[in-house]
């Protein structure tokens, strides 16, 4: 299943946030969306997943999601969004309870995603007992449990310290190697974008417009740190963004 | 920086400590000791004549009055009458309050229609309405239960919709993004999220219920702790009056203890 964004424009009251965004997210691809803060990245991602309606334009779903898919467009949030009153397994079973699965099938899915995210020992733990990195792994396990066609990630690593970020980045790369998931990945971190993106979309400051789309052909497994080619791309992205970021930083938040 | 140098070595002085404090802890044994000391002082004051028996009866006299009450079998009749009113009134007031509070928390129509009404009626002392309730519900149990119900309803409504308003919107978005039904979002995300606020509302409404119980029983009740206190007061039987007040205090403490247990059980995820 592919997604296609056609002429997305959005405004909050008088403030224009997004202007004429056209973008294709193809199956098996990770599309990274970068841009200065406040440019509308989160808004765009909410539109892709149907949590918000654009003022004009549309998000089209091309083709059908796989038959076993329970929730085609699935988010991973920056602040994890785990229910504090449910354990790890309870948080995962929450998103399965609405589907016609019997207890055994549900249990099988939970055990499987916990194993895949190396969380099996923490099934009965409450979120408050977990570190930030573990909480985000629970959120990833929850997302995987509904067998999404497209993962929508809004700065999933931004709330974590840099070591944890590295580890989880490796997990996301490994996972992609195994499952070739499709994803839209919003970040303001250029290194993350270059590490994970097959396609990097650079947005301008508000109103967000597409400045450039950079494609990286190098396979994810070959993208080690200290890679000259990637560094060149990262530098190029930074040059594209620097003036925008500086200007965005000087803007008053309310006008 | 230091100017006191001994040879080549700079003698340091420790940085003065200025943190800590402002974290009162409750130590278990202190409370009973304070309690016993006060009662002992009171008893001593009465025995030595330092406290006149006309002003305050000795604790031992109040205890005698209590034993009389137990032995005559009247204690259970008073207690049963009061507890029945209290439980029915408080329980139905709380339940209705949770329902209406949830409606206000979830639906725009309920919010615009009921919230101003609740804000207008909440500050009225319900005791002032007691005569009206007597006309409406009769001088028997009806008006007494209605007073308690009414008094506990409003704080519960406000606690409930306040709790719902404070549920993290991010969690609700999460529920929607996973395709949860509206009912599931209410049942599994919104209500558990509002539960801490609802339980602290229950704590407040329990105290209000006891205040209103006594007020309602002071008007035309044959049995009930409030009636007992009223009769004791009109006979200047201060020993019985103290007994009645002590019983009320115990009822309040037991209520608070039960709600504390419920909080521990339902909110164990909060650590
Ligand atoms: N619900 C909303 N109502 C009004 N303004 C909003 C709302 N959500 C976002 N905005 C504004 O839209 C702009 C883009 O926000 P956002 O998409 O969160 O940016 P980003 O994620 O790129 O930092 C910001 O200026 C923000 O203040
Ligand atoms: Mg954002």
């Amino acid at each position: 299943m592919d997604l296609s964004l056609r002429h997305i424009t959005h405004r909050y009251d008088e403030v224009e946030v997004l202007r004429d965004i056209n973008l294709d997210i193809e199956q098996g691809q990770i599309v990274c969306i970068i841009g200065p803060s406040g440019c509308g990245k989160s808004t765009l991602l909410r539109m892709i997943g149907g949590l918000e309606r654009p003022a004009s334009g549309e998000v089209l779903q091309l083709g059908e999601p796989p038959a076993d898919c329970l929730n085609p467009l699935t988010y991973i949030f920056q602040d994890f969004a785990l229910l504090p009153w449910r354990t790890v397994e309870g948080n995962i079973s929450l998103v399965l309870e609405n589907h016609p699965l019997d207890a055994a099938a549900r249990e099988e899915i939970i055990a499987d995603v916990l194993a895949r995210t190396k969380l099996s020992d923490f099934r009965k733990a409450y979120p408050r007992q977990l570190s930030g990195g573990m909480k985000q792994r629970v959120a990833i396990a929850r997302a995987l449990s509904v067998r999404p066609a497209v993962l929508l990630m809004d700065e999933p690593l931004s709330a974590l310290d840099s070591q944890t970020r590295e580890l989880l980045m490796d997990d996301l790369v490994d996972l992609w190697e195994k499952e070739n998931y499709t994803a839209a990945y919003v970040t303001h971190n250029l290194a993350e974008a270059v590490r994970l993106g097959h396609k990097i979309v650079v947005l301008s400051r508000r109103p967000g417009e597409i400045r450039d789309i950079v494609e990286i052909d190098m396979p994810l497994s070959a993208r080690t740190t200290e890679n000259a080619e990637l560094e060149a791309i990262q530098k190029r992205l930074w040059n594209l963004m620097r003036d925008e970021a500086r200007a965005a930083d000087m803007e008053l938040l309310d006008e | 920086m230091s100017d006191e140098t001994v040879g080549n070595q700079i003698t340091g002085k420790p940085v003065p400590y200025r943190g800590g404090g402002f974290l009162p802890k409750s130590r278990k044994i202190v409370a009973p000791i304070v309690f016993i000391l006060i009662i002992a002082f009171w008893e001593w004051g009465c025995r030595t004549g330092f406290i006149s028996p006309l002003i305050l009866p000795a604790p031992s006299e109040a205890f005698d009055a209590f034993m009389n009450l137990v032995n005559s079998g009247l204690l259970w009749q008073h207690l049963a009458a009061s507890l029945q009113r209290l439980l029915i009134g408080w329980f139905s007031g709380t339940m209705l309050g949770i329902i209406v509070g949830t409606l206000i928390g979830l639906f725009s129509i309920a919010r615009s229609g009921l919230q101003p009404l609740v804000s207008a009626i909440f500050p009225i002392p319900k005791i002032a309405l007691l005569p009206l309730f007597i006309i409406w519900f009769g001088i028997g149990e009806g008006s007494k239960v209605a007073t308690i119900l009414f008094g506990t309803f409003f704080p519960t409504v406000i606690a409930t919709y306040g709790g719902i308003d404070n549920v993290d919107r991010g969690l609700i978005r999460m529920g929607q993004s996973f395709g949860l039904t509206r009912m599931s979002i209410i049942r599994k995300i919104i209500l558990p999220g509002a539960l801490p606020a609802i339980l602290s509302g229950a704590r407040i409404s329990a105290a209000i219920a006891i205040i209103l119980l006594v007020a309602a029983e002071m008007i035309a009740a044959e049995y009930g702790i409030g009636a007992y206190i009223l009769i004791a007061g009109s006979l200047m039987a201060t020993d019985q009056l103290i007994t009645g007040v002590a019983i009320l205090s115990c009822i309040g403490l037991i209520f608070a203890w039960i709600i504390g247990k419920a909080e521990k059980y339902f909110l164990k995820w909060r650590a």
Side-chain angles (χ1 to χ4, degrees):
Chain A
M1 186 183 88
D2 298 347
L3 290 177
S4 177
L5 282 61
R6 308 262 168 93
H7 305 293
I8 301 261
T9 296
H10 193 64
R11 47 178 63 248
Y12 286 115
D13 300 321
E14 288 309 294
V15 186
E16 192 174 16
V17 179
L18 291 166
R19 184 183 287 171
D20 198 30
I21 305 283
N22 288 288
L23 177 64
D24 288 315
I25 300 170
E26 283 154 41
Q27 185 163 346
Q29 251 193 358
I30 299 180
V31 175
C32 288
I33 301 170
I34 60 174
S37 72
C39 76
K41 305 183 293 294
S42 299
T43 308
L44 186 63
L45 202 69
R46 284 199 296 274
M47 284 164 182
I48 299 177
L51 287 181
E52 197 162 340
R53 233 185 236 126
S56 67
E58 54 192 354
V59 180
L60 295 179
Q61 191 176 309
L62 308 178
E64 285 303 309
D68 66 348
C69 172
L70 299 175
N71 188 50
L73 305 174
T74 298
Y75 283 90
I76 293 171
F77 299 93
Q78 179 177 353
D79 61 358
F80 324 128
L82 300 175
L83 301 185
W85 50 87
R86 285 197 178 216
T87 57
V88 168
E89 62 178 347
N91 267 287
I92 298 171
S93 98
L94 173 81
V95 301
L96 299 172
E97 285 160 12
N98 265 197
H99 296 286
L101 295 166
D102 59 43
R106 200 152 63 210
E107 169 53 36
E108 195 181 324
I109 294 176
I110 294 174
D112 172 53
V113 293
L114 287 178
R116 273 152 73 196
T117 46
K118 307 181 200 89
L119 283 168
S120 302
D121 293 341
F122 303 95
R123 287 185 82 121
K124 305 280 183 204
Y126 283 96
R128 70 174 154 82
Q129 301 172 293
L130 303 175
S131 66
M134 295 258 267
K135 283 184 208 165
Q136 196 55 296
R137 292 213 322 256
V138 177
I140 293 172
R142 177 178 63 188
L144 295 177
S145 74
V146 291
R147 303 192 200 96
V150 181
L151 277 175
L152 305 171
M153 299 187 256
D154 190 356
E155 309 204 18
L157 308 185
S158 294
L160 307 174
D161 63 69
S162 61
Q163 290 89 333
T164 316
R165 209 143 60 200
E166 282 301 318
L167 294 174
L168 260 170
M169 182 48 82
D170 289 341
D171 288 348
L172 288 176
V173 170
D174 287 347
L175 199 65
W176 190 85
E177 295 286 326
K178 277 191 222 122
E179 329 209 346
N180 278 283
Y181 55 85
T182 314
Y185 186 101
V186 165
T187 179
H188 60 248
N189 183 325
L190 300 183
E192 279 175 22
V194 197
R195 180 83 195 282
L196 206 56
H198 298 99
K199 196 174 188 177
I200 299 173
V201 181
V202 186
L203 294 184
S204 67
R205 82 188 131 109
R206 202 179 65 206
E209 278 180 291
I210 294 184
R211 289 275 324 251
D212 202 356
I213 296 183
V214 177
E215 312 233 4
I216 308 181
D217 289 331
M218 193 187 300
L220 293 195
S221 53
R223 300 189 191 179
T224 47
T225 46
E226 328 238 326
N227 180 315
E229 192 181 333
L230 291 182
E231 269 173 28
I233 296 174
Q234 192 173 330
K235 192 164 269 164
R236 194 174 125 213
L237 291 172
W238 176 230
N239 283 332
L240 272 172
M241 269 184 69
R242 181 166 44 208
D243 296 335
E244 298 285 345
R246 187 178 290 139
D249 191 45
M250 305 291 279
E251 270 170 11
L252 290 175
L253 283 180
D254 52 324
E255 334 203 323
Chain B
M1 290 291 280
S2 173
D3 31 24
E4 295 164 45
T5 24
V6 182
N8 285 341
Q9 233 171 336
I10 303 170
T11 56
K13 61 176 182 193
V15 173
Y17 176 65
R18 40 189 182 167
F22 300 105
L23 275 174
K25 289 194 192 76
S26 90
R27 296 196 209 291
K28 278 233 156 75
I29 40 157
V30 180
I33 291 176
V34 171
F35 209 68
I36 290 168
L37 277 181
I38 289 177
I39 300 221
F41 173 74
W42 176 4
E43 183 72 40
W44 171 81
C46 292
R47 298 232 168 152
T48 57
F50 169 67
I51 300 172
S52 149
L54 284 177
I55 295 176
L56 204 61
S60 55
E61 285 173 50
F63 186 72
D64 288 341
F66 176 72
M67 289 319 289
N68 280 341
L69 195 61
V70 174
N71 293 333
S72 66
L74 283 174
L75 175 67
W76 307 116
Q77 263 169 307
H78 287 307
L79 261 184
S82 285
L83 284 180
Q84 189 187 340
R85 291 165 191 146
L86 202 57
L87 288 179
I88 296 176
W90 179 75
F91 185 77
S92 29
T94 303
M95 282 299 137
L96 288 174
I98 291 174
I99 292 171
V100 172
T102 306
L103 294 178
I104 294 180
L106 293 178
F107 301 105
S108 306
I109 297 180
R111 171 159 306 224
S112 7
L114 296 176
Q115 198 183 14
L117 202 65
V118 169
S119 310
I121 302 178
F122 176 54
I124 300 176
K126 305 303 172 296
I127 299 170
L129 299 176
L130 194 51
L132 260 189
F133 289 146
I134 292 175
I135 297 172
W136 293 348
F137 304 109
I139 198 142
E141 294 303 299
S143 58
K144 296 177 182 61
V145 169
T147 313
I148 297 172
L149 190 158
F150 222 64
T152 53
F153 172 76
F154 289 95
T156 310
V157 171
I158 290 173
T160 305
Y161 78 67
I164 291 179
D165 288 352
N166 277 330
V167 174
D168 182 356
R169 296 295 116 169
L171 293 180
I172 298 175
R173 293 288 162 275
M174 181 278 292
Q176 290 175 317
S177 80
F178 277 95
L180 266 61
T181 59
R182 204 180 153 75
M183 203 53 217
S184 295
I185 291 177
I186 294 172
R187 219 159 46 78
K188 296 172 187 169
I189 299 178
I190 294 179
L191 288 181
L195 194 59
I198 294 175
L199 284 174
S200 51
R203 211 178 255 287
I204 294 168
S205 70
I208 294 177
I210 292 173
I211 295 171
L212 291 175
L213 169 78
V214 176
E217 285 180 343
M218 285 188 168
I219 297 175
E222 193 180 348
Y223 292 110
I225 306 295
Y228 175 76
I229 292 175
L230 183 76
I231 295 167
S234 58
L235 297 176
M236 291 294 165
T238 48
D239 53 343
Q240 293 180 10
L241 191 134
I242 297 285
T243 299
V245 171
I247 293 173
L248 286 178
S249 162
C250 287
I251 295 178
L253 286 175
I254 291 170
F255 259 60
W257 179 78
I258 292 173
I259 293 171
K261 283 280 158 203
E263 276 176 346
K264 265 224 178 80
Y265 177 77
F266 287 113
L267 307 181
K268 58 174 185 278
W269 50 271
R270 285 205 306 194

